[in-house]
Amino acid sequence: MNVLDFINAFFSDSAHWQGYDGIPTRLLEHIQYTLMALGIAAAVGLPVGLLTGHTGRGGNTLALIATAARALPSFGLMVLMFVLLGLGLAPVMIPLVVLAIPPILVTTYEAMRSADPAPVDAARGMGMAEAEVLFRVELPVALPLILSGLRSAAIQIVSTATIAAYVSFGGLGRYIVDGLYQRDYEKVVGGATLVAVLALATLGVFWAAARLTVSRGVRRGA
Amino acid sequence: MNGLFDLPSDLQNTYWGLIALHLREALIPVLAGLLVALPIAQLCVRLRWLYPPVLWVTTVLYAIPSLAFFVVLIDYTGLSETTVMIPLAVYSLVVFVPAIVDGVRSVPRETLDAATAMGFGPVRRYVQVQLPIAAPAIIAGLRVASVSSISLVSVGMLIGNQGALGNLLNSGMIYNQPRLIWLSVIGTAVLAILVDAVLIGLRILVTPWMPRGTRQNARPTALKDAAR
């Protein structure tokens, strides 16, 4: 028996495709959690990053926040929140959002700072308002990097939401954690495969988003 | 069981023992990753077309969630420390390869020409010119990789209690002892910050010609740091 056999056995068993513990249900749950956490993190991180990046203030503070956030063990934080807050969405969502904000924030800031100053000055010279300079000049140029920040945040959320099954969370991690407890290796490998596929699909989604939204001129320059 | 650092006996370790174990499990993969990344990065510098595909491969490998990675490896390396270490080494590549490539590429053309004119062979040029100039970028990469690695080791708890400080999380849940969970979280965070500080010190040591401030010439890597 090798891993491929386990994967084959898991996906060909029709029992795995229905009910509350079925693949579609778990997959949807996982996507739902990811989008929710990413949405909250982006709602916080993007505006702050865009503004600080535009004004160029607070870069050192952001770097400090990023280092501090990276030092926080996400898994430990989850278990701690679970013990403090009990069952529910909050103990899992809080660590996910805390994890996702720093990459979004710092990458957005850096992306805005790395915009070529010449066109920005030209825009000001043409009499654009600050908001116009931000959204019509800096943002399009910074977009590829901003997307890469969102991408790494999304992948971290997908990965960490898997671990969250240990603290009674749904999603694809259930297969891995339950399978480990039940010594059902088929289930474990099946879950791992699904999570990996979802993470790669996330990469694909961001790649497609970049193709669609980044202007051709910026892409040529990159 | 009422001292602050007392641990349940089934962990078969003192708190300090767990910290040592954690450091070993986190840092060996990072060093292994660095040793693998150095030749790969050098190839990317030599052969320009190789760089984008290599970046792609590291990005894709990095996207594989840690728990899934551990689990698939169980079949080959069992419920062991090795199973935890292999993914961590692979993850560190995503930080090291761009950091080293950018660092080595930042060496000015004239400097290389001067080295050649002084009769340096390719090996000596690499060791005495390119590596020292790339050192700040490499250490910036080391900082990110080490800190992330320390945080991820805890997840190893899920596969046969191989998570060092992460194992405290499980004990805390089983015995209903929040103290153990606090010990794990704070211990891991402090460990990460200390390792980071040691590496900053190392950078100051190996690059005496640079200003002491945190402002490095490694601006592009600071960006990659953030994006991890």
Side-chain angles (χ1 to χ4, degrees):
Chain A
M1 269 304 237
N2 69 10
V3 169
L4 291 176
D5 295 329
F6 282 121
I7 293 172
N8 191 13
F10 178 81
F11 288 105
S12 53
D13 184 349
S14 63
H16 287 140
W17 289 94
Q18 48 205 308
Y20 73 95
D21 195 30
I23 293 171
T25 322
R26 291 296 183 209
L27 191 63
L28 270 179
E29 274 179 348
H30 209 105
I31 292 171
Q32 210 180 326
Y33 299 142
T34 306
L35 287 178
M36 191 171 160
L38 189 65
I40 298 171
V44 177
L46 278 179
V48 177
L50 286 173
L51 270 179
T52 49
H54 177 72
T55 56
R57 292 218 178 89
N60 291 340
T61 319
L62 288 188
L64 206 67
I65 291 174
T67 309
R70 210 178 299 132
L72 276 179
S74 45
F75 184 42
L77 201 61
M78 236 169 226
V79 176
L80 187 64
M81 290 277 172
F82 176 71
V83 170
L84 295 178
L85 303 174
L87 278 171
L89 204 56
V92 178
M93 270 302 155
I94 294 170
L96 285 182
V97 171
V98 166
L99 258 187
I101 287 179
I104 295 176
L105 197 58
V106 178
T107 323
T108 308
Y109 173 87
E110 286 283 359
M112 294 294 281
R113 293 314 302 152
S114 65
D116 184 1
V120 176
D121 285 346
R124 286 212 175 88
M126 284 164 60
M128 278 192 183
E130 284 303 302
E132 261 189 308
V133 172
L134 201 164
F135 287 109
R136 291 182 56 190
V137 183
E138 287 176 321
L139 188 60
V141 176
L143 202 54
L145 270 176
I146 294 177
L147 281 174
S148 81
L150 283 169
R151 186 189 67 198
S152 59
I155 282 170
Q156 275 182 59
I157 293 172
V158 169
S159 169
T160 313
T162 315
I163 302 165
Y166 176 74
V167 286
S168 75
F169 208 51
L172 294 171
R174 283 257 61 91
Y175 293 126
I176 302 181
V177 173
D178 293 349
L180 283 169
Y181 280 130
Q182 296 159 1
R183 311 243 159 195
D184 180 352
Y185 200 57
E186 186 185 301
K187 204 178 197 176
V188 174
V189 175
T193 313
L194 281 168
V195 173
V197 168
L198 184 63
L200 296 180
T202 310
L203 272 186
V205 166
F206 275 93
W207 180 81
R211 292 291 303 193
L212 289 172
T213 55
V214 176
S215 81
R216 270 212 313 281
V218 174
R219 213 180 308 147
R220 235 200 333 270
Chain B
M1 275 305 287
N2 39 22
L4 179 58
F5 292 110
D6 288 353
L7 304 186
S9 57
D10 59 344
L11 287 174
Q12 297 171 357
N13 240 319
T14 60
Y15 191 58
W16 305 113
L18 280 182
I19 287 183
L21 196 65
H22 202 98
L23 274 178
R24 190 176 76 196
E25 269 190 66
L27 298 183
I28 289 177
V30 171
L31 292 177
L34 182 60
L35 287 179
V36 175
L38 279 170
I40 293 179
Q42 205 48 32
L43 270 178
C44 291
V45 171
R46 285 285 164 99
L47 311 167
R48 281 187 165 275
W49 56 265
L50 198 66
Y51 189 38
V54 166
L55 268 188
W56 253 107
V57 171
T58 55
T59 310
V60 167
L61 283 173
Y62 182 73
I64 300 170
S66 47
L67 189 53
F69 213 146
F70 292 153
V71 158
V72 171
L73 284 175
I74 290 175
D75 206 32
Y76 304 99
T77 47
L79 296 168
S80 66
E81 274 184 42
T82 322
T83 308
V84 178
M85 288 188 194
I86 293 172
L88 295 183
V90 171
Y91 290 150
S92 69
L93 291 181
V94 82
V95 181
F96 283 137
V97 173
I100 299 169
V101 170
D102 290 343
V104 172
R105 275 190 188 166
S106 72
V107 179
R109 191 70 246 170
E110 305 83 68
T111 315
L112 289 180
D113 291 342
T116 314
M118 284 164 69
F120 282 23
V123 175
R124 193 168 166 211
R125 198 176 71 168
Y126 178 67
V127 173
Q128 293 197 329
V129 179
Q130 288 180 317
L131 270 189
I133 293 183
I138 294 174
I139 292 179
L142 259 177
R143 282 174 60 191
V144 180
S146 309
V147 171
S148 309
S149 197
I150 286 171
S151 163
L152 272 176
V153 165
S154 299
V155 180
M157 179 221 83
L158 290 168
I159 55 161
N161 258 0
Q162 293 295 343
L165 283 169
N167 298 349
L168 285 172
L169 299 168
N170 199 27
S171 305
M173 298 269 274
I174 296 172
Y175 303 120
N176 193 12
Q177 288 254 352
R179 177 178 62 89
L180 296 176
I181 295 170
W182 281 108
L183 273 182
S184 168
V185 174
I186 294 173
T188 316
V190 168
L191 204 57
I193 291 165
L194 284 179
V195 168
D196 201 34
V198 167
L199 286 169
I200 294 175
L202 181 72
R203 186 186 66 80
I204 293 171
L205 265 182
V206 299
T207 55
W209 60 86
M210 275 177 64
R212 288 266 161 135
T214 45
R215 280 269 150 264
Q216 314 159 351
N217 65 351
R219 205 83 185 109
T221 49
L223 232 174
K224 297 233 167 52
D225 281 11
R228 252 183 283 190

